[in-house]
Amino acid sequence: MSSTKFSRIHEEETQWLPFLKKALEPKHVNYNDEIKLLRTPFTSPGYHTKLRNVENVHPIRESLDYALAILDCHEDAYKDRAFEILRTILSLQDQQLDSPTFGIWSWYFEEPLSMMSPPDWNWADFIGRRLLQVLIRHSNRLPGDLEQLTSQAISHSCEAIIKRNVGPDYTNIAIMGAFVTLIAGERLKNRTYFEYGLERLTRLYDYSMQTGAFLEYNSPAYSTVAILELSALVMYSNTAEAKRLANEMLEATWLMVAEHFHPLLKQWSGPHARSYQTFLSNSHLSFLQMACKGDVSFVSNDEFVYGLEWYAQGIVCPERLYGLFTSIVERELRQDLPSYHEFRTRKAYTYMTSEFTLGTFNHNVMWKQCRNLLGYVHTGNQGRSYIQLRVLHDGYDFCSAVYTSVQEQASVLYGIQFALDGGDTHVNLDPIHGRMTASDLRIRLEIGSTGDVPAWKQIGKDAFQTYLGEMTLSVKALYGAMDEFSAFHWELVEEGPVVSLDYVLYKGEPSMIDFHAMNEALFMFALTLCGPDEDSDRRSSLSISEHEVQTSLESPDQSLTLKLAKKPSERVVLFHN
């Protein structure tokens, strides 16, 4: 990129420079002068890293963000520190050509690649992209040898990305890898990298735009990453075709975000293909405010949080969408997702009014990151509650549970089945092959609130009801059977601002649960949200055959029907039977 072009970018980002400096300032005290990386509190998603009971770590990604921010802010007092961090990070890349992890990094200084379980190949993309930003924006300030070493590390990242060759179904990495290889190809004048990057971007475009949505659909975390990466592609690429493809995907992504945003609740309506927290964070709201150039207010000045990685990426929301962020009328959204070998016919449905929003997938696994049934309700003043369905194995979200539902407006019929080829805590990293030991297995309807905790009351043998502001939430168990287990019962669990209505499938001494040996393991429920002038009563019916169960839910103006197989099976069978 020419210095003239970057000067223009810098001018366009000037209004955010004070916020970048403010976000950078508190990081300085956490710099470790001996290790020459940033120190942060340790957190773990439960996979990849094997570190346990560690208070602080020195992360590669966050340290590189810190170094880049120092250079972007022209903090000359810390310039040498930024160079030290760069040298340290470059030295931590696996640069052995014959190594199976060639071109990638570990997450933490404390945990080399050989200790991870397994190493995260995404770090070729995450770190490679950041090194490219260093090179593009600050090559004229780098010592000569450091510029050469950075270019070499970027090349190694490209080799790892090309070798791995993820498909277009892995949305954020598909975009990020396209950015790294395409922009590196342009910058380093490497035709192989460039052609691969453009072809990868084209594959993603063809795959996603067949339905107008990414497979990682409506994810607060990954939609913002997609916007950031696609915006950066438009900003930094010199290739007209790459800009066109990225711009069209950006338009579709921004429309999805705006349509799902609830202005009164300030929440991102479900369902979410992947999510890390159920209430929207100030960081996400700040991202939207920044993208709207500050013209739409999502958080107060005191709450505004600027992300170090947002600077100079060209992130701008189309002004024509501002109205969707500021006013709400009834919205009903239906979206087909791109075909995937397991989810060939996955669809998303969202219904929104001024008081609530409720969204579901027609089918999905019950991974911790999936929000397959998700609602938000206004509870008066500034209060709000979320409604989320989970399945827990010994207290952790159970990936071998399979969710299926039908929804029409504020009524949902849903069922839980069990897969013979699923994981336990992760979809792919810890397969259990349909067998596990458990002391607790339950289906949870969780409500988290910013105000008063709602109170559930039983209104029938298997039916419960609670009030959320002006809305009435009702849930009813329609069918439940699991071979060798029968003492199913309801439990109320209250933990601070979260109250859960649990349908307990098993609770007791550790016991082997073998879904292969079962002819039946199926649970079906009905959920409705009603306003103060609506009748919350919905007539349900049940039809049972040898291999299937059909349930129906009817009201004067709508009828829902769901039919599911009794017997556990492979995921693809359960999704498409």
Side-chain angles (χ1 to χ4, degrees):
M1 172 177 287
S2 68
S3 58
T4 302
K5 184 175 181 180
F6 181 66
S7 295
R8 190 180 75 251
I9 293 171
H10 196 272
E11 289 173 6
E12 292 172 354
E13 298 281 344
T14 298
Q15 68 168 310
W16 301 113
L17 190 57
F19 295 95
L20 179 65
K21 290 182 176 180
K22 182 180 178 181
L24 175 64
E25 184 62 33
K27 306 286 186 185
H28 294 316
V29 297
N30 293 318
Y31 180 68
N32 187 321
D33 195 48
E34 294 182 6
I35 293 178
K36 303 192 185 310
L37 292 173
L38 199 66
R39 181 181 62 253
T40 66
F42 173 68
T43 60
S44 171
Y47 46 86
H48 285 308
T49 179
K50 293 171 67 176
L51 294 179
R52 298 292 185 271
N53 303 315
V54 177
E55 184 176 355
N56 293 302
V57 288
H58 295 82
I60 308 302
R61 181 175 61 178
E62 288 79 357
S63 295
L64 188 48
D65 282 337
Y66 172 61
L68 180 56
I70 289 172
L71 297 175
D72 283 335
C73 290
H74 289 267
E75 295 272 6
D76 290 339
Y78 296 102
K79 181 178 66 174
D80 290 340
R81 177 181 291 186
F83 296 157
E84 289 173 348
I85 292 171
L86 276 170
R87 291 185 187 279
T88 301
I89 290 173
L90 296 178
S91 73
L92 294 173
Q93 184 186 38
D94 184 345
Q95 299 189 359
Q96 296 296 318
L97 277 170
D98 58 349
S99 170
T101 54
F102 171 70
I104 71 173
W105 287 261
S106 64
W107 284 3
Y108 308 115
F109 175 84
E110 289 76 8
E111 185 178 36
L113 286 164
S114 60
M115 291 175 58
M116 295 184 70
S117 179
D120 188 353
W121 279 75
N122 291 346
W123 253 232
D125 309 78
F126 277 100
I127 307 304
R129 194 264 283 178
R130 286 161 168 79
L131 291 177
L132 264 172
Q133 303 271 351
V134 169
L135 202 61
I136 291 169
R137 305 211 289 256
H138 304 291
S139 61
N140 61 333
R141 302 173 65 197
L142 299 179
D145 71 314
L146 189 53
E147 180 180 4
Q148 183 179 357
L149 290 170
T150 302
S151 297
Q152 184 181 54
I154 291 167
S155 293
H156 296 334
S157 293
C158 289
E159 296 292 341
I161 289 167
I162 293 171
K163 178 182 177 181
R164 186 187 184 199
N165 193 30
V166 302
D169 50 277
Y170 198 166
T171 308
N172 63 314
I173 298 302
I175 301 171
M176 204 178 302
F179 175 90
V180 174
T181 50
L182 191 150
I183 302 299
E186 291 181 349
R187 176 81 190 186
L188 305 178
K189 296 180 171 51
N190 186 305
R191 193 71 189 174
T192 299
Y193 298 163
F194 170 77
E195 290 179 351
Y196 174 83
L198 185 58
E199 188 272 336
R200 180 164 168 156
L201 186 66
T202 303
R203 269 192 293 149
L204 175 67
Y205 175 90
D206 291 341
Y207 178 72
S208 302
M209 298 304 282
Q210 62 179 300
T211 63
F214 294 131
L215 190 68
E216 291 179 328
Y217 177 72
N218 195 40
S219 163
Y222 292 107
S223 295
T224 51
V225 170
I227 287 170
L228 188 154
E229 301 301 333
L230 290 169
S231 299
L233 260 167
V234 174
M235 174 77 79
Y236 291 108
S237 178
N238 296 315
T239 304
E241 178 65 0
K243 290 175 177 288
R244 180 187 72 82
L245 297 172
N247 265 321
E248 288 192 29
M249 286 188 283
L250 264 176
E251 287 284 320
T253 307
W254 271 120
L255 177 61
M256 179 203 70
V257 173
E259 285 183 329
H260 283 85
F261 189 81
H262 196 291
L264 175 64
L265 296 167
K266 292 188 177 178
Q267 296 299 318
W268 191 314
S269 300
H272 301 159
R274 294 181 69 183
S275 184
Y276 294 98
Q277 53 195 129
T278 309
F279 276 136
L280 206 57
S281 68
N282 280 344
S283 176
H284 283 112
L285 293 169
S286 299
F287 179 90
L288 296 176
Q289 187 160 311
M290 177 270 300
C292 293
K293 304 177 184 178
D295 295 336
V296 181
S297 178
F298 296 91
V299 293
S300 67
N301 290 338
D302 292 339
E303 296 171 321
F304 185 82
V305 181
Y306 190 81
L308 299 183
E309 69 275 19
W310 301 348
Y311 188 71
Q313 306 295 338
I315 303 166
V316 178
C317 175
E319 289 187 21
R320 63 182 176 81
L321 299 178
Y322 284 9
L324 289 170
F325 288 114
T326 56
S327 62
I328 176 67
V329 293
E330 184 181 31
R331 296 181 201 168
E332 193 169 11
L333 308 172
R334 301 177 190 269
Q335 179 66 57
D336 291 335
L337 273 62
S339 179
Y340 186 62
H341 71 277
E342 285 186 345
F343 309 114
R344 296 193 298 269
T345 57
R346 192 162 54 157
K347 304 173 187 295
Y349 178 92
T350 305
Y351 181 67
M352 304 170 65
T353 72
S354 59
E355 292 297 311
F356 74 92
T357 171
L358 182 65
T360 57
F361 286 119
N362 64 331
H363 54 238
N364 206 3
V365 294
M366 292 299 293
W367 186 23
K368 184 178 179 66
Q369 293 186 25
C370 298
R371 303 292 188 269
N372 298 320
L373 187 160
L374 179 63
Y376 296 97
V377 183
H378 181 236
T379 57
N381 297 324
Q382 298 299 313
R384 55 192 180 273
S385 294
Y386 71 75
I387 306 161
Q388 180 188 345
L389 183 70
R390 304 172 69 187
V391 178
L392 303 178
H393 165 210
D394 290 344
Y396 198 90
D397 297 81
F398 184 42
C399 286
S400 284
V402 169
Y403 169 89
T404 305
S405 78
V406 289
Q407 178 184 352
E408 192 66 34
Q409 296 188 349
S411 296
V412 185
L413 276 177
Y414 62 94
I416 298 296
Q417 298 162 286
F418 297 94
L420 302 179
D421 58 346
D424 186 2
T425 63
H426 191 276
V427 181
N428 301 314
L429 297 182
D430 60 350
I432 62 169
H433 308 293
R435 298 178 180 89
M436 66 177 185
T437 300
S439 57
D440 192 281
L441 183 64
R442 60 185 60 209
I443 299 168
R444 168 169 288 182
L445 192 64
E446 179 177 290
I447 300 177
S449 302
T450 60
D452 294 337
V453 176
W456 283 101
K457 67 175 181 178
Q458 191 161 4
I459 57 173
K461 179 179 180 296
D462 280 314
F464 284 77
Q465 196 173 79
T466 189
Y467 298 101
L468 301 172
E470 297 292 316
M471 305 300 297
T472 302
L473 173 65
S474 303
V475 63
K476 182 179 182 180
L478 303 177
Y479 184 82
M482 190 165 75
D483 289 1
E484 300 181 16
F485 299 88
S486 60
F488 313 133
H489 62 278
W490 295 96
E491 277 188 9
L492 288 172
V493 179
E494 190 169 330
E495 299 171 314
V498 177
V499 61
S500 300
L501 178 64
D502 291 355
Y503 194 70
V504 180
L505 311 188
Y506 176 72
K507 183 178 181 181
E509 293 298 317
S511 178
M512 170 59 69
I513 298 178
D514 185 354
F515 292 111
H516 289 271
M518 295 182 186
N519 288 313
E520 188 167 13
L522 171 64
F523 299 87
M524 304 181 78
F525 303 84
L527 178 146
T528 58
L529 264 174
C530 296
D533 300 323
E534 297 178 86
D535 184 359
S536 62
D537 185 40
R538 300 286 191 272
R539 288 191 299 108
S540 60
S541 60
L542 192 66
S543 175
I544 304 172
S545 65
E546 183 179 357
H547 301 294
E548 296 176 325
V549 177
Q550 177 174 299
T551 59
S552 296
L553 191 65
E554 295 184 5
S555 66
D557 55 351
Q558 64 183 219
S559 177
L560 298 177
T561 300
L562 180 65
K563 182 190 290 185
L564 295 176
K566 295 178 178 179
K567 189 175 176 62
S569 189
E570 288 72 27
R571 287 175 295 193
V572 68
V573 174
L574 296 177
F575 291 143
H576 303 292
N577 187 9

